[in-house]
Amino acid sequence: MIAALNSQPVLLLTLTTLMWGGNTIAGRLAVGEVSPFAVVLLRWVIVAGLLVAIYGRQLVAEWVTLKRHLILIVLSATFGFTAFNSLFYLAAHSTTALNLGIIQGSMPMFVLLGALIFYRTPITPLQMAGVLITILGVIYISSRGELARLANLEINPGDGLMIIACFFYSAYAVTLRNRPKVPGIVFFTALAVVAAVTSVPAVVVEASNGSLQWPTAKGWIVVAYIALAPSFLSQIFFMRAIELIGPGRAGVFINLVPIFSSIMAVMLLSEPFRAYHAVALALVLAGIWLSERKSAAKAEQS
């Protein structure tokens, strides 16, 4: 069964995005069961432990190469893993899983803008239209369908935190262009170890202000899911799918994340799906579709 799964890129990518979408549900279920920064620490301690146990020898073998990129690795792990996840689970305390998933779906647009700013990667008129439409979708859901709220700065704090989290993850994604030339799983192992270490200060802050909460029984189930599914298995599945069909085609599947998260939020958490959710989701997906039309056409020609 595992061998069959290992050769099915569509199934691998579908399971990956399903697990990523499930992370928004887990974020909401963690509220009251474990504090946000404790989730982040436990998540990366578990993942780093598993990865080192399996790929530790490869990590040691590639250490000479990794050491030359240590600053990049520390910054990537801190912004892409520690800071993003910390803000994500913090945001889950004051917004819905629906909002988390839809705003998270806008990350490809932030990456596109980041590539333009840091690498001067040109953006076509079609891609720019996609960026603007996606941003409009994020603004629309953050204002709960009432754009007049923006004039009074009435944005849900959780939505605001999630937007900042997307910026952090996009900065991480943009830096991947310069990542060390080592196997992807080895690089991920190094990032996970650093993320576990850089998660400690936030937990110390939680402990000092009295907000630290170690997991309840239900909290441990949530933490286990977060560590094993969206953090560990999904990364391995995604890397394998990229090996099979390439990053361009694999990246398109990320569009499923806001769809899966929206469906699960309604079905599992009974969150109301309002008209502004539908409009925002449509805008985000339309923007991503527009921005990917050119790359999709190139993929078909090659």
Side-chain angles (χ1 to χ4, degrees):
M1 180 178 176
I2 296 177
L5 180 64
N6 203 39
S7 61
Q8 299 292 327
V10 173
L11 180 56
L12 286 170
L13 289 166
T14 301
L15 290 173
T16 294
T17 51
L18 184 62
M19 287 186 278
W20 286 347
N23 192 39
T24 63
I25 309 303
R28 287 292 294 163
L29 291 175
V31 176
E33 307 296 335
V34 54
S35 56
F37 299 152
V39 173
V40 178
L41 174 64
L42 294 170
R43 168 184 184 157
W44 292 118
V45 165
I46 293 170
V47 174
L50 289 171
L51 288 170
V52 169
I54 301 171
Y55 303 103
R57 289 185 178 180
Q58 289 179 252
L59 182 68
V60 172
E62 299 287 354
W63 175 243
V64 174
T65 302
L66 291 169
K67 187 169 61 173
R68 293 198 298 268
H69 299 81
L70 197 55
I71 294 177
L72 175 66
I73 291 171
V74 171
L75 291 176
S76 296
T78 301
F79 283 98
F81 288 4
T82 307
F84 170 76
N85 292 141
S86 296
L87 291 175
F88 182 96
Y89 297 120
L90 199 58
H93 281 67
S94 53
T95 193
T96 64
L98 272 167
N99 287 32
L100 289 174
I102 294 173
I103 295 173
Q104 185 179 2
S106 68
M107 281 199 295
M109 298 299 95
F110 289 120
V111 174
L112 198 63
L113 289 175
L116 171 65
I117 294 170
F118 292 106
Y119 296 110
R120 299 186 183 277
T121 303
I123 296 181
T124 66
L126 209 57
Q127 288 176 319
M128 181 54 69
V131 168
L132 294 175
I133 291 172
T134 301
I135 291 175
L136 179 60
V138 172
I139 292 174
Y140 196 76
I141 196 169
S142 299
S143 65
R144 285 164 282 177
E146 299 177 24
L147 298 180
R149 292 177 181 270
L150 297 178
N152 299 320
L153 299 178
E154 293 183 28
I155 296 179
N156 185 313
D159 294 341
L161 288 172
M162 191 60 207
I163 292 171
I164 297 172
C166 288
F167 274 111
F168 280 141
Y169 193 86
S170 300
Y172 152 75
V174 169
T175 63
L176 290 181
R177 179 180 296 191
N178 298 319
R179 79 174 182 84
K181 304 300 182 183
V182 298
I185 194 65
V186 174
F187 182 59
F188 179 49
T189 301
L191 291 177
V193 171
V194 174
V197 174
T198 56
S199 299
V200 173
V203 172
V204 172
V205 171
E206 276 192 335
S208 64
N209 63 24
S211 61
L212 176 63
Q213 179 187 0
W214 292 112
T216 61
K218 178 181 176 181
W220 276 114
I221 295 174
V222 173
V223 168
Y225 168 79
I226 290 172
L228 297 177
S231 307
F232 181 68
L233 288 177
S234 65
Q235 295 293 338
I236 294 174
F237 287 178
F238 192 62
M239 289 179 188
R240 176 55 182 163
I242 288 175
E243 290 177 2
L244 293 172
I245 63 174
R249 291 175 61 193
V252 174
F253 280 79
I254 296 176
N255 299 347
L256 292 174
V257 174
I259 296 175
F260 283 147
S261 61
S262 298
I263 293 172
M264 287 188 284
V266 173
M267 293 182 63
L268 301 179
L269 301 179
S270 300
E271 290 185 356
F273 190 81
R274 306 191 188 283
Y276 69 83
H277 288 119
V279 173
L281 181 61
L283 287 170
V284 168
L285 293 177
I288 295 173
W289 177 77
L290 273 177
S291 70
E292 290 177 348
R293 285 190 66 185
K294 184 178 179 181
S295 58
K298 283 184 177 179
E300 290 175 0
Q301 292 172 3
S302 58

